[in-house]
Amino acid sequence: LLFLLAFAVIIAVQLIPLPPLVWQARPGMEELIAISRLAGTLDVWRPLSLDPMATLNSLMSLLVPLAAILCYPLLSDQQRSAFPYILLAVAAFSIAVAGLQVGGANQLYYYRIINKGVATGIMANRNHQAMLLASSIPAIAAVLLNRSRGSLIDSRDLLFAGLTLVVVIGMVVATGSRAGLLLVLVVVGLSGYVLSPAFARSAGRNGGPEGSRWRNVLAGTGLAAVFVLIIAAMGGGMNSFSRLGEVEVGGDQRVEVIPQLIELVQKFFPFGSGFGSFPWVFQIIEPDNQLNTAYFNNAHNDFAQIIIEGGVLGAALVVFALFIGAKGVWRLIATPRNGSRGVSGRDRSLILVGVGLFLATAIASLFDYPLRTPVVAGLAALAGCILCDWRLNAGPARHDVAR
């Protein structure tokens, strides 16, 4: 909550009108001062933000994560444990919408600017959809961990989780998102690490008929995975692989503009250009050889954009957020996985979902701007609450009771 309030204060300060001499003394104002001199408006009081309406919109966009943070303390332990199921429900709804979109339901493309013809679901582009779906994979593992209650994994639960995982990965492939493939590798590895002790116990103790069922489930899930990937390939979903070597606007150009992003950081540091102002300030230094019919609505690197728009205070927010996330990752990895001490199974599953969301969001933010969508902002706020919840990591192990 304090993090979000600090964010809101920084944005609000950028909207306060400043005296002309103060406004003109800021770094990076040379072009704007020249324009104001020609227009005869040098004596006008202006806010720090170079696009006040966009900055006001950024401030209002914090209402969604604020609502999520304010609701979190009101939830009981049982309600908090439902978070993985909620995340899976959001992903399932987005998958259903994506399926209808691919089937020709163009009216389900909700946004004015969107990747039409791509399975974007409730999101506006393929990368955001892939990030949302990838972040649901740790939720699958969390449900499996909860139902095992820290002991053996039932073959029926494994079958359901395996088929769900296959569908999610298939839909990530269907988006054609290259970043989505990387996210899947990361969250599958994380989930496998957390579940590996339960898998080992189950595989070691499930002899006889139950062991045979386990083998059948693994074989069936593997065949289902092959089938889903073939369907995705037939539907053009293998674009995510074929696009790995492609050059396209918004793809490789993200690498080409890195020098301009660095220039903008230096130009407006330490005060920043104002949150939401990136599309306009980028045009000030955009090279002529990069002009085309497309335009950069965002930096496609949220860490750089926050520093450009927020200056040194924006950089401090980025560092603090990464510190909280890294602490959560360490808590998940460093605590014992055998349930003998440390966090309980239910707590561990919640932390897994929080860490999975953090990693997916952080990695995706290197290539895109997922946190600027209300859905991801709300989910990330809940993940932040989980990672900051000291009760999930306090005292000796609490053995889960059967529900």
Short mmCIF file of all heavy atoms in Angstrom, two decimals, residues 56-93:
data_model
loop_
_atom_site.label_atom_id
_atom_site.label_comp_id
_atom_site.label_asym_id
_atom_site.label_seq_id
_atom_site.Cartn_x
_atom_site.Cartn_y
_atom_site.Cartn_z
N LEU A 56 -2.59 12.54 -15.67
CA LEU A 56 -3.81 12.38 -14.87
C LEU A 56 -4.43 11.01 -15.11
O LEU A 56 -4.91 10.36 -14.17
CB LEU A 56 -4.80 13.48 -15.22
CG LEU A 56 -6.14 13.45 -14.46
CD1 LEU A 56 -5.92 13.58 -12.96
CD2 LEU A 56 -7.07 14.53 -14.98
N ASN A 57 -4.41 10.56 -16.36
CA ASN A 57 -4.92 9.23 -16.68
C ASN A 57 -4.09 8.15 -15.97
O ASN A 57 -4.64 7.14 -15.49
CB ASN A 57 -4.89 9.01 -18.19
CG ASN A 57 -5.47 7.67 -18.58
OD1 ASN A 57 -6.65 7.40 -18.38
ND2 ASN A 57 -4.63 6.81 -19.14
N SER A 58 -2.78 8.35 -15.90
CA SER A 58 -1.92 7.40 -15.18
C SER A 58 -2.27 7.35 -13.71
O SER A 58 -2.27 6.28 -13.09
CB SER A 58 -0.44 7.80 -15.36
OG SER A 58 -0.04 7.75 -16.70
N LEU A 59 -2.58 8.52 -13.15
CA LEU A 59 -2.96 8.57 -11.74
C LEU A 59 -4.26 7.81 -11.50
O LEU A 59 -4.39 7.04 -10.55
CB LEU A 59 -3.10 10.03 -11.29
CG LEU A 59 -3.46 10.27 -9.82
CD1 LEU A 59 -2.39 9.69 -8.90
CD2 LEU A 59 -3.65 11.76 -9.55
N MET A 60 -5.24 8.01 -12.39
CA MET A 60 -6.53 7.32 -12.25
C MET A 60 -6.39 5.81 -12.44
O MET A 60 -7.15 5.04 -11.86
CB MET A 60 -7.53 7.88 -13.26
CG MET A 60 -7.93 9.34 -13.04
SD MET A 60 -8.74 9.60 -11.43
CE MET A 60 -7.39 10.35 -10.47
N SER A 61 -5.41 5.40 -13.25
CA SER A 61 -5.24 3.97 -13.51
C SER A 61 -4.78 3.21 -12.26
O SER A 61 -4.88 1.98 -12.22
CB SER A 61 -4.22 3.76 -14.63
OG SER A 61 -2.90 4.10 -14.20
N LEU A 62 -4.30 3.94 -11.25
CA LEU A 62 -3.88 3.29 -10.01
C LEU A 62 -5.06 2.84 -9.16
O LEU A 62 -4.88 2.14 -8.15
CB LEU A 62 -2.99 4.23 -9.19
CG LEU A 62 -1.66 4.65 -9.83
CD1 LEU A 62 -0.88 5.54 -8.87
CD2 LEU A 62 -0.84 3.44 -10.22
N LEU A 63 -6.28 3.23 -9.54
CA LEU A 63 -7.46 2.85 -8.76
C LEU A 63 -7.66 1.33 -8.75
O LEU A 63 -8.11 0.77 -7.75
CB LEU A 63 -8.70 3.55 -9.31
CG LEU A 63 -8.78 5.06 -9.08
CD1 LEU A 63 -10.00 5.65 -9.79
CD2 LEU A 63 -8.82 5.37 -7.59
N VAL A 64 -7.34 0.67 -9.86
CA VAL A 64 -7.53 -0.78 -9.93
C VAL A 64 -6.59 -1.50 -8.95
O VAL A 64 -7.07 -2.27 -8.10
CB VAL A 64 -7.33 -1.30 -11.37
CG1 VAL A 64 -7.37 -2.82 -11.40
CG2 VAL A 64 -8.42 -0.73 -12.28
N PRO A 65 -5.27 -1.29 -9.01
CA PRO A 65 -4.41 -1.95 -8.02
C PRO A 65 -4.70 -1.48 -6.59
O PRO A 65 -4.55 -2.25 -5.64
CB PRO A 65 -2.99 -1.58 -8.46
CG PRO A 65 -3.14 -0.41 -9.36
CD PRO A 65 -4.46 -0.56 -10.01
N LEU A 66 -5.12 -0.22 -6.43
CA LEU A 66 -5.46 0.26 -5.08
C LEU A 66 -6.63 -0.53 -4.50
O LEU A 66 -6.61 -0.93 -3.33
CB LEU A 66 -5.79 1.75 -5.12
CG LEU A 66 -6.24 2.36 -3.79
CD1 LEU A 66 -5.13 2.27 -2.75
CD2 LEU A 66 -6.67 3.82 -3.98
N ALA A 67 -7.65 -0.77 -5.32
CA ALA A 67 -8.80 -1.55 -4.86
C ALA A 67 -8.37 -2.96 -4.46
O ALA A 67 -8.82 -3.50 -3.43
CB ALA A 67 -9.87 -1.60 -5.95
N ALA A 68 -7.49 -3.56 -5.26
CA ALA A 68 -7.01 -4.91 -4.94
C ALA A 68 -6.25 -4.93 -3.62
O ALA A 68 -6.44 -5.83 -2.79
CB ALA A 68 -6.12 -5.42 -6.08
N ILE A 69 -5.41 -3.94 -3.40
CA ILE A 69 -4.61 -3.89 -2.17
C ILE A 69 -5.50 -3.66 -0.94
O ILE A 69 -5.29 -4.26 0.11
CB ILE A 69 -3.54 -2.78 -2.29
CG1 ILE A 69 -2.49 -3.19 -3.33
CG2 ILE A 69 -2.87 -2.52 -0.95
CD1 ILE A 69 -1.48 -2.10 -3.64
N LEU A 70 -6.49 -2.78 -1.07
CA LEU A 70 -7.37 -2.49 0.05
C LEU A 70 -8.25 -3.69 0.40
O LEU A 70 -8.63 -3.87 1.57
CB LEU A 70 -8.24 -1.28 -0.25
CG LEU A 70 -7.51 0.07 -0.36
CD1 LEU A 70 -8.48 1.19 -0.70
CD2 LEU A 70 -6.77 0.38 0.95
N CYS A 71 -8.58 -4.50 -0.60
CA CYS A 71 -9.42 -5.67 -0.35
C CYS A 71 -8.63 -6.82 0.28
O CYS A 71 -9.22 -7.65 1.00
CB CYS A 71 -10.07 -6.14 -1.65
SG CYS A 71 -11.39 -5.07 -2.26
N TYR A 72 -7.34 -6.90 0.01
CA TYR A 72 -6.56 -8.06 0.46
C TYR A 72 -6.62 -8.28 1.97
O TYR A 72 -6.84 -9.42 2.42
CB TYR A 72 -5.11 -7.92 -0.01
CG TYR A 72 -4.23 -9.09 0.38
CD1 TYR A 72 -4.22 -10.25 -0.38
CD2 TYR A 72 -3.42 -9.04 1.51
CE1 TYR A 72 -3.43 -11.33 -0.02
CE2 TYR A 72 -2.63 -10.11 1.88
CZ TYR A 72 -2.64 -11.25 1.10
OH TYR A 72 -1.85 -12.32 1.48
N PRO A 73 -6.44 -7.25 2.82
CA PRO A 73 -6.48 -7.50 4.27
C PRO A 73 -7.85 -7.95 4.77
O PRO A 73 -7.95 -8.50 5.88
CB PRO A 73 -6.12 -6.13 4.88
CG PRO A 73 -5.47 -5.37 3.78
CD PRO A 73 -6.12 -5.84 2.53
N LEU A 74 -8.88 -7.71 3.99
CA LEU A 74 -10.23 -8.09 4.41
C LEU A 74 -10.53 -9.56 4.15
O LEU A 74 -11.55 -10.07 4.62
CB LEU A 74 -11.26 -7.23 3.67
CG LEU A 74 -11.11 -5.71 3.82
CD1 LEU A 74 -12.18 -4.99 3.00
CD2 LEU A 74 -11.18 -5.29 5.28
N LEU A 75 -9.65 -10.23 3.42
CA LEU A 75 -9.89 -11.61 3.06
C LEU A 75 -9.47 -12.55 4.18
O LEU A 75 -8.47 -12.33 4.87
CB LEU A 75 -9.11 -11.97 1.79
CG LEU A 75 -9.41 -11.14 0.54
CD1 LEU A 75 -8.49 -11.56 -0.60
CD2 LEU A 75 -10.86 -11.28 0.13
N SER A 76 -10.24 -13.61 4.37
CA SER A 76 -9.86 -14.65 5.32
C SER A 76 -8.79 -15.54 4.69
O SER A 76 -8.51 -15.45 3.48
CB SER A 76 -11.08 -15.49 5.68
OG SER A 76 -11.56 -16.19 4.54
N ASP A 77 -8.19 -16.41 5.51
CA ASP A 77 -7.18 -17.33 4.98
C ASP A 77 -7.76 -18.21 3.87
O ASP A 77 -7.11 -18.47 2.87
CB ASP A 77 -6.63 -18.21 6.10
CG ASP A 77 -5.75 -17.43 7.06
OD1 ASP A 77 -5.31 -16.33 6.68
OD2 ASP A 77 -5.50 -17.92 8.18
N GLN A 78 -8.99 -18.65 4.07
CA GLN A 78 -9.62 -19.51 3.06
C GLN A 78 -9.87 -18.74 1.77
O GLN A 78 -9.68 -19.28 0.68
CB GLN A 78 -10.95 -20.05 3.61
CG GLN A 78 -11.61 -21.07 2.69
CD GLN A 78 -12.85 -21.67 3.30
OE1 GLN A 78 -13.26 -21.28 4.38
NE2 GLN A 78 -13.43 -22.64 2.63
N GLN A 79 -10.26 -17.48 1.90
CA GLN A 79 -10.48 -16.67 0.70
C GLN A 79 -9.17 -16.37 -0.02
O GLN A 79 -9.12 -16.37 -1.25
CB GLN A 79 -11.19 -15.36 1.08
CG GLN A 79 -12.63 -15.55 1.50
CD GLN A 79 -13.24 -14.28 2.08
OE1 GLN A 79 -12.54 -13.49 2.72
NE2 GLN A 79 -14.54 -14.09 1.87
N ARG A 80 -8.10 -16.15 0.72
CA ARG A 80 -6.80 -15.92 0.09
C ARG A 80 -6.34 -17.17 -0.65
O ARG A 80 -5.71 -17.07 -1.72
CB ARG A 80 -5.75 -15.52 1.13
CG ARG A 80 -5.95 -14.13 1.72
CD ARG A 80 -4.73 -13.71 2.53
NE ARG A 80 -4.97 -12.45 3.20
CZ ARG A 80 -5.37 -12.32 4.45
NH1 ARG A 80 -5.54 -13.41 5.19
NH2 ARG A 80 -5.57 -11.14 4.99
N SER A 81 -6.63 -18.32 -0.09
CA SER A 81 -6.19 -19.56 -0.73
C SER A 81 -6.92 -19.80 -2.06
O SER A 81 -6.51 -20.67 -2.84
CB SER A 81 -6.42 -20.76 0.21
OG SER A 81 -7.81 -20.96 0.43
N ALA A 82 -7.98 -19.03 -2.32
CA ALA A 82 -8.71 -19.16 -3.58
C ALA A 82 -8.06 -18.37 -4.71
O ALA A 82 -8.50 -18.46 -5.86
CB ALA A 82 -10.16 -18.70 -3.41
N PHE A 83 -7.01 -17.60 -4.40
CA PHE A 83 -6.37 -16.76 -5.43
C PHE A 83 -5.90 -17.56 -6.64
O PHE A 83 -6.10 -17.13 -7.79
CB PHE A 83 -5.22 -15.97 -4.80
CG PHE A 83 -4.56 -15.01 -5.75
CD1 PHE A 83 -5.30 -14.19 -6.58
CD2 PHE A 83 -3.17 -14.92 -5.81
CE1 PHE A 83 -4.68 -13.30 -7.44
CE2 PHE A 83 -2.54 -14.05 -6.68
CZ PHE A 83 -3.31 -13.23 -7.50
N PRO A 84 -5.26 -18.74 -6.46
CA PRO A 84 -4.87 -19.51 -7.65
C PRO A 84 -6.05 -19.86 -8.54
O PRO A 84 -5.94 -19.84 -9.77
CB PRO A 84 -4.22 -20.77 -7.05
CG PRO A 84 -3.76 -20.36 -5.70
CD PRO A 84 -4.77 -19.38 -5.21
N TYR A 85 -7.18 -20.18 -7.92
CA TYR A 85 -8.37 -20.53 -8.70
C TYR A 85 -8.91 -19.30 -9.45
O TYR A 85 -9.38 -19.43 -10.59
CB TYR A 85 -9.46 -21.09 -7.77
CG TYR A 85 -9.05 -22.36 -7.06
CD1 TYR A 85 -8.46 -22.31 -5.80
CD2 TYR A 85 -9.26 -23.60 -7.65
CE1 TYR A 85 -8.07 -23.47 -5.15
CE2 TYR A 85 -8.88 -24.78 -6.99
CZ TYR A 85 -8.29 -24.71 -5.75
OH TYR A 85 -7.91 -25.86 -5.11
N ILE A 86 -8.83 -18.13 -8.82
CA ILE A 86 -9.28 -16.91 -9.49
C ILE A 86 -8.40 -16.61 -10.70
O ILE A 86 -8.89 -16.27 -11.79
CB ILE A 86 -9.26 -15.73 -8.50
CG1 ILE A 86 -10.29 -15.95 -7.39
CG2 ILE A 86 -9.52 -14.41 -9.21
CD1 ILE A 86 -10.22 -14.92 -6.27
N LEU A 87 -7.09 -16.77 -10.52
CA LEU A 87 -6.17 -16.53 -11.63
C LEU A 87 -6.44 -17.50 -12.77
O LEU A 87 -6.44 -17.13 -13.95
CB LEU A 87 -4.73 -16.65 -11.14
CG LEU A 87 -3.62 -16.41 -12.18
CD1 LEU A 87 -3.80 -15.07 -12.87
CD2 LEU A 87 -2.25 -16.49 -11.51
N LEU A 88 -6.70 -18.76 -12.43
CA LEU A 88 -7.02 -19.76 -13.46
C LEU A 88 -8.33 -19.44 -14.15
O LEU A 88 -8.47 -19.65 -15.36
CB LEU A 88 -7.07 -21.16 -12.83
CG LEU A 88 -5.73 -21.78 -12.46
CD1 LEU A 88 -5.93 -23.09 -11.72
CD2 LEU A 88 -4.89 -22.02 -13.72
N ALA A 89 -9.30 -18.92 -13.40
CA ALA A 89 -10.59 -18.56 -14.00
C ALA A 89 -10.43 -17.41 -14.99
O ALA A 89 -11.03 -17.42 -16.07
CB ALA A 89 -11.58 -18.17 -12.90
N VAL A 90 -9.60 -16.42 -14.63
CA VAL A 90 -9.33 -15.29 -15.56
C VAL A 90 -8.66 -15.81 -16.82
O VAL A 90 -9.02 -15.43 -17.95
CB VAL A 90 -8.45 -14.23 -14.88
CG1 VAL A 90 -8.03 -13.16 -15.87
CG2 VAL A 90 -9.20 -13.58 -13.71
N ALA A 91 -7.67 -16.69 -16.65
CA ALA A 91 -6.98 -17.25 -17.81
C ALA A 91 -7.93 -18.08 -18.67
O ALA A 91 -7.88 -18.01 -19.91
CB ALA A 91 -5.80 -18.11 -17.35
N ALA A 92 -8.80 -18.87 -18.02
CA ALA A 92 -9.75 -19.70 -18.77
C ALA A 92 -10.71 -18.83 -19.58
O ALA A 92 -11.03 -19.15 -20.73
CB ALA A 92 -10.53 -20.60 -17.81
N PHE A 93 -11.17 -17.74 -18.98
CA PHE A 93 -12.08 -16.83 -19.70
C PHE A 93 -11.37 -16.22 -20.90
O PHE A 93 -11.94 -16.12 -22.00
CB PHE A 93 -12.58 -15.75 -18.75
CG PHE A 93 -13.49 -14.75 -19.41
CD1 PHE A 93 -14.76 -15.11 -19.81
CD2 PHE A 93 -13.07 -13.45 -19.64
CE1 PHE A 93 -15.61 -14.20 -20.43
CE2 PHE A 93 -13.90 -12.52 -20.25
CZ PHE A 93 -15.18 -12.91 -20.64
#
